[in-house]
Amino acid sequence: MASRLLSALTAALGPRQAANELRWMQQQAQSNPHLATMVRRRLAGSQPFGPLNLLTRSPVLIPRPETEHWVMELAQRITATPSSPKRLLDLGTGSGCIPLLLCHLLPQGSLRACGIDISEHALRLATDNAELCGTPTPTESDVGNKNTFMATIGNVLSPSLSADAKIDPPYDIITSNPPYIPWDEYLSLPRSVSAYEDPRALFGGPDGLFFYHAIASLVNRNGFLQPGAIVALEVGHDQAQAVKQIMRTEAHVHDIEIWSDPWGKHRTVVARL
């Protein structure tokens, strides 16, 4: 295990820094079971996410249990049937974990999901995970009565997102686990996180709220969402009230809930149009 990890670290950091990093991780893993588990999962190249077992590859963010928790809850709140399918847009899809879990949990033929990301690494991984999960793209010839998922490149912060990403609103559901780590917290992240995961998937601007303003602008855009649409956004441990206020004042949505994760932290802001 150590030799494989050292090889991966050397490729990313160079031999001297890799040796120091490996020494630190070995010391920390003895007293930090969570870190040890994350290292093992990264080396194994997979991560459980609900009933799915998803591929993981650096530098794409590893799916977290707190994300799994709210996605399982969201699935119970979505009313979708093959005769009345829903259209979902996942902003910053990463590994594809959110839409792929919903495609697995909701009745087959009831969900048409699209995930966008700025990272080519993420898009390749999300596409590979869709194939692993048996979730077809909408253009495949043998879709039949199945839920579908496609990953496409796009920048959530771009004013021309719809044209650039070739997406087709209106949508019934928006989901996102956007970058939400503020600058001061990002600087203090352990190297076991910052060396493996794309900073574009972590850093959310000086206050961590940059992407929520952009998402609120999309939600407020005429014709982007269907009436009664659901918007589910993961947030940092102390950001729920701020994101709720952004959705009220900038997206002009007032039916908003805050969900807690299994550890009692406010983790998800859920708005309904």
Side-chain angles (χ1 to χ4, degrees):
M1 176 175 173
S3 61
R4 293 175 60 198
L5 180 54
L6 181 60
S7 297
L9 290 172
T10 300
L13 306 174
R16 179 175 297 181
Q17 181 61 31
N20 292 334
E21 186 74 10
L22 178 61
R23 189 179 305 112
W24 178 87
M25 294 181 78
Q26 289 172 327
Q27 292 169 351
Q28 292 296 313
Q30 294 176 6
S31 59
N32 187 337
H34 179 72
L35 176 63
T37 298
M38 183 172 288
V39 171
R40 284 196 300 271
R41 285 174 176 170
R42 175 64 84 185
L43 289 173
S46 66
Q47 168 72 18
F49 196 71
L52 304 178
N53 195 45
L54 300 177
L55 301 172
T56 62
R57 286 198 295 266
S58 182
V60 183
L61 194 71
I62 302 174
R64 266 56 170 187
E66 54 268 33
T67 307
E68 173 191 310
H69 181 263
W70 70 257
V71 176
M72 300 281 282
E73 176 67 23
L74 180 63
Q76 299 181 37
R77 307 288 187 100
I78 297 172
T79 303
T81 64
S83 60
S84 182
K86 300 295 185 184
R87 304 180 71 241
L88 178 147
L89 181 65
D90 186 44
L91 302 172
T93 201
S95 65
C97 61
I98 294 172
L100 290 174
L101 181 53
L102 290 171
C103 281
H104 181 85
L105 295 173
L106 294 175
Q108 289 303 305
S110 71
L111 188 64
R112 304 289 178 260
C114 175
I116 67 168
D117 207 289
I118 197 172
S119 165
E120 292 281 3
H121 293 288
L123 296 177
R124 285 194 294 271
L125 180 58
T127 300
D128 289 346
N129 274 324
E131 183 176 356
L132 179 67
C133 296
T135 304
T137 65
T139 57
E140 291 182 27
S141 58
D142 59 344
V143 169
N145 194 34
K146 295 181 179 179
N147 292 333
T148 63
F149 169 75
M150 64 172 292
T152 183
I153 196 161
N155 184 353
V156 177
L157 303 179
S158 171
S160 56
L161 171 65
S162 295
D164 296 344
K166 299 181 176 61
I167 58 176
D168 185 26
Y171 291 95
D172 302 286
I173 307 158
I174 283 183
T175 55
S176 186
N177 178 15
Y180 56 66
I181 298 177
W183 182 243
D184 56 344
E185 289 186 24
Y186 179 75
L187 291 176
S188 63
L189 284 175
R191 292 287 295 170
S192 59
V193 175
S194 61
Y196 274 105
E197 297 183 338
D198 191 339
R200 294 177 298 179
L202 299 170
F203 178 49
D207 60 0
L209 301 174
F210 197 59
F211 284 83
Y212 299 105
H213 293 287
I215 293 170
S217 178
L218 284 176
V219 171
N220 192 48
R221 188 178 297 178
N222 186 41
F224 199 81
L225 292 179
Q226 293 278 20
I230 297 174
V231 181
L233 308 174
E234 184 167 324
V235 300
H237 64 90
D238 60 353
Q239 295 173 331
Q241 291 299 333
V243 173
K244 181 177 181 180
Q245 187 63 18
I246 289 170
M247 294 301 293
R248 278 183 170 166
T249 59
E250 299 178 26
H252 305 292
V253 180
H254 299 283
D255 184 358
I256 304 173
E257 297 178 72
I258 295 174
W259 295 353
S260 295
D261 65 21
W263 300 274
K265 295 183 182 296
H266 289 166
R267 185 58 62 189
T268 319
V269 173
V270 182
R272 187 181 290 272
L273 274 63

